[in-house]
Amino acid sequence: MMELLPLVILIVGIVVLRGHNLRIKQLEARVQELQNALEGKVLTPDTGESIPAAYAVAQPMDDEPKVATEDTSAPEIEEPALAARNIADAGQEEDTPLASQTSTPPKESLESTIGARWAVWVGGIALALGGIFMVKYSIESGLLSPGVRLALAALFGLALIAAGEVIRRRTAPVLNSAFQNAMIPGVLTAAGVVALFGSTYAAHAIYEFIGPATAFILLALISLATLGLSLLHGQALAGLGLLASMATPALIASTAPRPWTLFGYLVLTWLATLLASRLRRWLIAPSLANGLLSLWPLLYITFSPVVDLAPVTLSMLAMIGGTIFLWPGRYPVSEAVKEDATTAPAEDTPQRVSSGIEWAAFLARQPLGMTLTAAIGALTVSLCIVGFSLRYGYPIVDATFMFAAIVAAVAAFGAGRLHAAWATILSALVAVVGTSGILTNWIAGIESTADGTASLQSTVLYEVLGLGALFVVIGAFFLRRFAQAEKPYAALWSLVMAATPLAIATISFVNFGNWTLDWLHGLYGIGLALVLIGLAEWQDRSDGEELNLPTNILAAGSFAAAVFALHTLAHHATATILLPVLGIAYLLAGRLRNWPVLPWTMVAALVITMGRIAWQPTIVDPSELGTTPLFNMLLAGYGIPAALAVLAAFITRHSPSLRLRNTLQALACFLVLLTIAILVRHAMNGGVLNDAAPTLGEQSIYTLLAIGASATLMALDLSAASPVFRYGGMALGVISVAMILTLHLLGLNPFMTGESTGRIPLFNLLLLAYLLPAAAYGGLALFARNRRPLPYVAMLAVAAAVMAFAWATLSVRRFWQGEYIPFWNGFIQGELYSYSVVWLLIGIALLGLGARFEARSLRIASAVLVFIAVVKAFLMDMANLEGFLRALSFIGLGAVLIGIGLFYQKILTRKKATE
C-alpha cells in the first residue's frame, strides 16, 4: 500500500495544481486591473502606454472569489473595486474596443510558465513525497515507533496547511506582481491534506490504532475540512476534498454495513460540495460530485450481499433536487461564471432561440457537464434498480415505484431548467426502455405466481401508466412557464409528453392487455387524447400562431392516443371501419381550428386503415366472411373507408395545401379501386379470398376497371384540375396496357392455356377479355384526344386495335375449333383462309376510322395488319391452302390492296387540291 501512495499523490497533485494555476492567473489579472483603476489609468497590453481608466472595462473573473476574505486589508481592496466598476461602466459607452484590449491578459512565455508555475507544482509534490519517504525510511530503519511516526506525519500535514494559510494572507497585498507567490498557498494546503489523510488511514488500516468508526469520522472530518478550505484556495482543492470524502467509506471496512448511514454521509458530502460550488460558481467540482455519488449505488448494488434500494433511491432524488434548487438552480451559468462572488445571482430567465440556431447549439447549453452527470447518473441507477429486481427477486412493485420516482425527478429537472434539455430527452428514453424491461421480462414470473397475481399485476400497471401520465403533467408545467419564450424546447417537450405515455401504454397493452376489450388501457388512451387536445387548445390561445409547432405536435399526439384507445376497445372490422371515422372527426375539427396537422390526421387514419387491411384482407375472420357476392363485410370494411376518403378529398378540395389535396385524392382513388377489385375477387372465386392466380375472366374485369378508372380520373381532372387525377389516370392507362400485353395476350390467353371460352358463340369469355377492352380503349382514346399527350393517345388507340385484332382472330379459331382453342389442336384450311379475310376486313375498317378521325396511329395499325395479311398469304396460304381457297385468298388480297391504293390516291389528291 505504501509503495502505491507516491504514484497516487503524483496524479492527484497534478490535477489539483493545474486547476489551481488557472484560478491564480485569473485572480492576478483581476487585481492588476483594480490597481490600475485606482491609479486612474491603465496600461495597454501592446504598447504599455497609459490611457484613462474610463476607457477600460474591468472584466469579472470566471469563478474565483474576492481575495483574502479574512485579511485585514480586504476592505482596502473591496471599496476601490466597486469604484473602479462605476468608472468602467461610465467609460464603456465611450470606447468599447479599448476596453476589450485591457481585459485580455498577456500570454505567458514558456520561461515564465516553467520557472514560476511548474516549479510550484513539482515543489508541492516533492513536499508530499518527502514526508512519505521520511515515514518510509523511519519504518525501514526502525528509528521511531509507529505512534511517533504517525504523530509526526500528522504534525507535518498541519504545518503545511498552516504555512499555506500564512502565505495566502500575505499574498493579497502584492498580487500586482504576476508571479509572486503563485499557487503556493493551495499547493501547500493540498500537500498537508494528503499527509493528514494518509496518516489517519495508516493508523486504522496498517497499525489498527483506531477502530473503523473513529477512522471513518476522522477521515470524513478531514475531507469536509478540505472542502471548507477550498473556499479559500480554489476549485482544485475542492476536488481533492471531494475525492477523499467519497473514497472514505471504501477505505474503512465494516463487518455490519449500514446503507442508510453510508448514503446519508455520501449525500451530505455531495451537498457540502454543491454549497461550496454555489458560493464560488464552480462547475467542475459539482459535476465530479454527481458522477461519484452516482457511482456508489452501482457499487453497492453489485457487491453488497444484502441490498436495500430505498436509500439508493433517496440519494438520487437528493442529487436531482439539489441540482434543481441549489446549484445551478435558477442561476444563469453563462453569467455566473463571469460574475464576482459579491454579485447577487439573478433568476433563470428564458432566452429565445431563433429559428436559425441549430439544435446542436440548443442541446449544448451550459452547464452541460452538470446536466449530463446528474441526469445520466440518476437514470443509470434507476435502470440498475430495475435489473436488480428482475434478476434477484426484489419486490417488483417497490422497484417499479423507485424507478418511476427517479425518472420523474429527472424529467422534472428537464422541465424546470432551460439548460436541461438532455435531462428531458434521456428521461423519456429511459422511461420507455425501463418500462419495456419491467413488463416484458416480468411475464414469465407473474404467470407462476400462485397468490396475489392479479393485484400485483394491477399495481405495477398502474405504476408504469402513472409514470407516463407524470410526463404529461410535467410537460404542462413547462409549457405554462416557458412555451412562449422557448419554442424549440416547447416543441421538444410537446413531443415527449405525447410520445412517452403513449409508448408506455402500448408496451403495457401488448404485454398484459385484453386484445378483445381492455377498459384500463382504453380509458387511459381516451383520457390522454382529451388532455393533449385540451393542452393544444390552451397553447393555441396562449400563442395564437398559425404554424405553432407545439400546438400541432400536441394535436397529433391526441390523434395518436385516440387511435390507441380505438384499438384497445375494438378489433377486426370495427377498428378498421372506425379509424377513418376518427380521421374525419379530426379533419372536421380543422375547420374550427386552423391547425395544419388536423387535416393530415385523416391521411394517417387512411394509411393505418390500409395497413390493417393488408394485415387482414378479409376484414373479419375468414370463416365469418360469407360467400354472398357484394353484400358482405368486405363492402363495409373496404367501402366505408373508401367513401370517407372520397368525402375527405371533397372537404379539402379548396385547401391551400396542394400536398394535402393530392394525397387525399390519391388515397380516395386507390381505396375506391381496391374496394371494387376486392369485391370482384370475392365474387369470382366463390366467396373465398386467397392468393391464387386470377382467371382470364377475373383479370378482364380488373382491366376494364382500370380503363374505367382512368376515364373517371380524366373527367375529374377536367372539372377540377389536379395532378393526382391527371397523372393517376394516365398511370392507370399504362398499367392496363401492360396487363393486356402480359396477361390477356400471353399468360392467360386461352390459345396458350386451353381454358374454356364458353359454350355461347358470341357472349363468351372472348367478348369479356378482348372485345370489351378494345371498345373501352377506343372510347378512352377518343376522350383523351386533344386532352392528353399524343403518345399516350396513340398508345390507347393501338391497344384498342390490338385487342380487336385478338378478339377477331380468336373468334375465328373458336368458330372452327369449338369451345376449346389451344394451339396444340392444329389448324384446318378453312380456318387459315378465314384469318386472311378477317385481318383484311379489320385493316380496311381501321383505315376508314383513321381517315374519319384523322388518326395517324389507326392508319399505321391498318398498314401493319394488312402487311401481316400479305405475309401470311405468301408464306402460309400458298403452302397450306389448295385449289379454290388458295386462288380465292390471293384474289381477295389483290383486290384489297388495289382498293387501299385507290383510297390513298384519292386522299392524297384531295389533300393536294386543298393545299
Side-chain angles (χ1 to χ4, degrees), residues 189 211 340 507 521 618 669 698 857 861 873:
T189 303
D340 265 339
I507 296 171
H521 293 92
T618 57
C669 295
E698 182 182 348
S857 58

Side-chain angles (χ1 to χ4, degrees), residues 833-904:
Y833 174 76
S834 300
Y835 290 142
S836 299
V837 175
V838 171
W839 292 353
L840 288 174
L841 290 176
I842 294 176
I844 293 173
L846 292 177
L847 181 60
L849 291 174
R852 169 66 178 81
F853 296 105
E854 296 182 359
R856 186 168 178 266
S857 58
L858 292 179
R859 296 198 299 271
I860 294 175
S862 171
V864 172
L865 194 57
V866 171
F867 177 76
I868 293 174
V870 171
V871 173
K872 173 185 175 293
F874 282 93
L875 295 181
M876 298 182 64
D877 293 357
M878 186 178 293
N880 295 290
L881 295 181
E882 298 176 355
F884 176 76
L885 290 178
R886 179 188 294 178
L888 187 60
S889 175
F890 278 88
I891 291 173
L893 177 61
V896 171
L897 293 177
I898 292 174
I900 292 174
L902 291 174
F903 181 80
Y904 270 100

Side-chain angles (χ1 to χ4, degrees), residues 131-176:
I132 293 174
F133 292 152
M134 182 62 69
V135 173
K136 182 179 180 181
Y137 172 75
S138 64
I139 294 174
E140 294 174 350
S141 302
L143 299 178
L144 301 173
S145 65
V148 175
R149 290 196 295 267
L150 293 176
L152 290 177
L155 291 175
F156 179 67
L158 292 174
L160 290 177
I161 295 174
E165 178 62 17
V166 171
I167 296 177
R168 184 192 68 81
R169 289 174 177 270
R170 294 180 179 180
T171 298
V174 293
L175 276 180
N176 57 336

Side-chain angles (χ1 to χ4, degrees), residues 212-295:
T214 304
F216 180 85
I217 294 174
L218 289 177
L219 292 177
L221 290 176
I222 294 173
S223 303
L224 294 176
T226 305
L227 288 175
L229 290 174
S230 68
L231 296 175
L232 302 175
H233 296 282
Q235 185 171 201
L237 191 60
L240 178 62
L242 175 65
L243 288 173
S245 301
M246 291 293 183
T248 297
L251 297 176
I252 304 301
S254 175
T255 57
R258 299 177 180 179
W260 285 98
T261 303
L262 169 64
F263 285 99
Y265 164 75
L266 294 173
V267 170
L268 289 177
T269 301
W270 175 87
L271 185 61
T273 305
L274 202 68
L275 292 174
S277 301
R278 171 175 173 171
L279 292 174
R280 294 297 180 255
R281 303 293 191 269
W282 292 334
L283 301 179
I284 299 176
S287 300
L288 179 62
N290 292 339
L292 293 175
L293 183 59
S294 304
L295 180 62

Side-chain angles (χ1 to χ4, degrees), residues 471-531:
F471 272 89
V472 179
V473 175
I474 295 170
F477 167 79
F478 176 87
L479 294 179
R480 184 180 67 85
R481 293 190 61 191
F482 303 120
Q484 294 185 359
E486 288 285 340
K487 293 299 175 59
Y489 205 174
L492 174 62
W493 255 112
S494 300
L495 179 62
V496 166
M497 63 194 297
T500 305
L502 187 59
I504 292 175
T506 302
I507 296 171
S508 175
F509 175 70
V510 169
N511 287 281
F512 291 99
N514 185 343
W515 286 45
T516 303
L517 181 63
D518 192 321
W519 284 108
L520 173 62
H521 293 92
L523 293 176
Y524 185 86
I526 293 174
L528 180 61
L530 294 176
V531 170

Side-chain angles (χ1 to χ4, degrees), residues 187-200:
V187 169
L188 293 176
T189 303
V193 168
V194 171
L196 284 177
F197 201 86
S199 59
T200 304

